[in-house]
Amino acid sequence: MAASLSGIPSIALSFGLMTGYKPPSSDLVDGAIKASCEVVKKLWEEGWSGENEEKERVDVYSVNVPILPTMIQPGGPYVQWTTMARTQYSRLFKSVSTNSPSSTFDTGGPSAIPENLDEHTSLPQTPQIQSQHLEVPLAFVFSPDIGQLINPTPESLESGTDTHALHEGAIAVTPIRAAFEPAKAPEWKWRL
C-alpha cells in the first residue's frame, strides 16, 4: 500500500497457512509458489487500468494464496476476484505488568479484553477506567490475537470476499484503490 500511495502500482502477495496443513508439505508450498508467479505475471501483463482509467484504476492488487491441496490439483487452482472481508483483531497487545496491589488487580488496563472469554461473549463498547488502573505502571508487549481472522467460523464468511475464497481453496485477488474516501456519517445529531 505504501508504494501505491507514492503513485507506484503494486502487487501485495501473501500465503495463508490453513488449518490441517501445518506445517505444509513441500509439494503444497511449491504449488503455491508456482501459482503465485502465474497470477502476478498475469496481473503485471494486464496492468492497473481499465477503459476509463480514472474510475477503473487499481492501485494495489492484494493476492492471497492458501497453501492447500487445491494449489496442486489437476487443471490448477481457481482464482477469484474478491473484495476485502471486514476483519478485526481481538487484541494486539498483552499486559506484562507485575507488582499488582492485589491478586484481583486487572493488569490489562481499561481496554484489556479478558482472556477467559469465548467467541460469543460481547464486550462493552466503551472501556471504563477503574481506579486500580492508575495504581500500577502498565507494560505491554505486541502479542496479537488474530484467531477470528485466520480461523473464522463458516457462517461468518461472506461470499465474494477474500477470506471466503481462501477458505474455499481459491486464490483471492482483490483490486484496491489507495484512497482515503469518506465514510457514511452516523445518523445521530451533535449538540454540546
Side-chain angles (χ1 to χ4, degrees):
M1 187 65 84
S4 67
L5 289 172
S6 298
I8 300 169
S10 309
I11 298 172
L13 175 65
S14 64
F15 294 97
L17 291 174
M18 310 304 277
T19 302
Y21 297 94
K22 298 176 192 174
S25 64
S26 62
D27 62 327
L28 293 183
V29 173
D30 291 344
I33 291 169
K34 182 180 178 212
S36 299
C37 290
E38 291 177 28
V39 168
V40 168
K41 181 180 181 212
K42 177 73 171 169
L43 292 172
W44 187 264
E45 289 170 352
E46 293 297 322
W48 281 261
S49 299
E51 290 178 20
N52 182 343
E53 187 171 326
E54 184 53 35
K55 277 187 138 180
E56 298 175 12
R57 183 187 83 245
V58 174
D59 296 318
V60 179
Y61 285 113
S62 175
V63 179
N64 294 284
V65 182
I67 301 182
L68 287 171
T70 55
M71 295 301 107
I72 57 174
Q73 70 187 6
Y78 290 106
V79 180
Q80 292 181 5
W81 291 111
T82 60
T83 59
M84 283 190 290
R86 293 188 57 88
T87 57
Q88 63 186 24
Y89 301 111
S90 294
R91 177 194 71 227
L92 287 179
F93 297 91
K94 182 169 92 174
S95 173
V96 293
S97 300
T98 58
N99 302 324
S100 59
S102 73
S103 60
T104 61
F105 185 76
D106 172 16
T107 59
S111 296
I113 296 174
E115 292 187 5
N116 60 350
L117 292 180
D118 63 30
E119 69 265 8
H120 303 295
T121 305
S122 61
L123 296 171
Q125 292 298 317
T126 306
Q128 300 298 315
I129 295 178
Q130 311 275 328
S131 63
Q132 63 186 358
H133 294 141
L134 305 174
E135 296 173 15
V136 172
L138 299 177
F140 296 90
V141 294
F142 185 67
S143 177
D145 178 1
I146 59 173
Q148 293 173 337
L149 179 65
I150 60 175
N151 292 312
T153 59
E155 56 275 359
S156 71
L157 297 173
E158 186 178 342
S159 183
T161 62
D162 50 1
T163 307
H164 184 261
L166 286 173
H167 285 273
E168 293 291 315
I171 296 173
V173 179
T174 307
I176 301 171
R177 301 250 350 235
F180 295 100
E181 295 182 357
K184 185 177 183 301
E187 298 293 326
W188 46 270
K189 299 194 184 293
W190 283 85
R191 183 174 182 137
L192 301 178

